[in-house]
Amino acid sequence: MDARESRARPTIYLDVDGVVTTVAYQHRAGKDSLDPIQVARVAALVQMFDAQVVVSSTWRVADCRPTLVEAGLPEGCFHPDWRTAILPTSRDEKTGGMLPAERARRGDEIAEHASRNRITNYLVLDDVDVGPVHTGRHVRPDAERGLSEADNDLARQLLARAA
């Protein structure tokens, strides 16, 4: 067993809206259309680092894995506990519905998932602030355009540093 095999696989906490589907792309292709360029960037990170994916997006309410694989993520890349839990702090107290991403405290959901699954080697790809607990592990693309080359470079640096 080499050193890479002896370490835990890194985990990528993946938001969908603003990361693999962007505002600009949806204006051209339609609502909820996944941008093949953005999916390819995430897929390349997954393959390069043999990473597992955990969906932290509102897309996790339904099983979005087949859609993500069809769009280009590697089959079998998902962590066995493939989505973060929807914590009470992520729901509107009056309606019970999910809060918008900006108010949903997604960082708490990621921290809870990482703790519960003993994940210490991870990267967060999300277009909203996920809090200071994820400093040095968060790449925040612009929701209009998704992951830029600079974002992609930073993601590779952060994953390589953790490896």
Side-chain angles (χ1 to χ4, degrees), residues 3-11 49-50 52 118-121 162-163:
R4 182 180 168 119
E5 291 173 331
S6 68
R7 294 188 177 166
R9 292 172 66 190
T11 299
F49 292 95
D50 189 30
Q52 302 177 98
R118 296 184 175 95
I119 295 170
T120 58
N121 181 3

Side-chain angles (χ1 to χ4, degrees), residues 15-157:
D15 179 30
V16 174
D17 295 308
V19 180
V20 293
T21 180
T22 63
V23 174
Y25 189 76
Q26 286 187 38
H27 283 303
R28 292 191 311 273
K31 185 174 176 358
D32 295 337
S33 297
L34 299 178
D35 183 335
I37 293 169
Q38 297 301 319
V39 173
R41 285 185 172 158
V42 173
L45 290 171
V46 169
Q47 292 169 329
M48 182 181 295
F49 292 95
D50 189 30
Q52 302 177 98
V53 173
V54 173
V55 179
S56 57
S57 168
T58 56
W59 284 52
R60 72 190 184 272
V61 174
D63 190 350
C64 60
R65 292 175 295 176
T67 301
L68 292 168
V69 168
E70 184 178 315
L73 285 188
E75 197 159 345
C77 71
F78 295 95
H79 186 280
D81 185 9
W82 67 272
R83 60 184 172 183
T84 55
I86 300 169
L87 301 177
T89 55
S90 298
R91 294 195 177 275
D92 184 291
E93 289 180 12
K94 294 177 184 168
T95 67
M98 289 185 66
L99 292 169
E102 298 79 18
R103 295 181 33 225
R105 298 179 61 177
R106 188 169 291 153
D108 293 349
E109 295 172 341
I110 292 167
E112 186 277 334
H113 184 278
S115 176
R116 180 168 30 90
N117 287 283
R118 296 184 175 95
I119 295 170
T120 58
N121 181 3
Y122 68 90
L123 173 71
V124 179
L125 297 177
D126 201 315
D127 65 313
V128 300
D129 182 26
V130 294
V133 71
H134 304 294
T135 299
R137 299 172 188 252
H138 180 205
V139 174
R140 186 176 181 183
D142 176 77
E144 180 73 27
R145 292 176 288 287
L147 290 167
S148 66
E149 281 300 321
D151 293 331
N152 206 28
D153 290 344
L154 177 58
R156 284 194 300 271
Q157 290 171 14

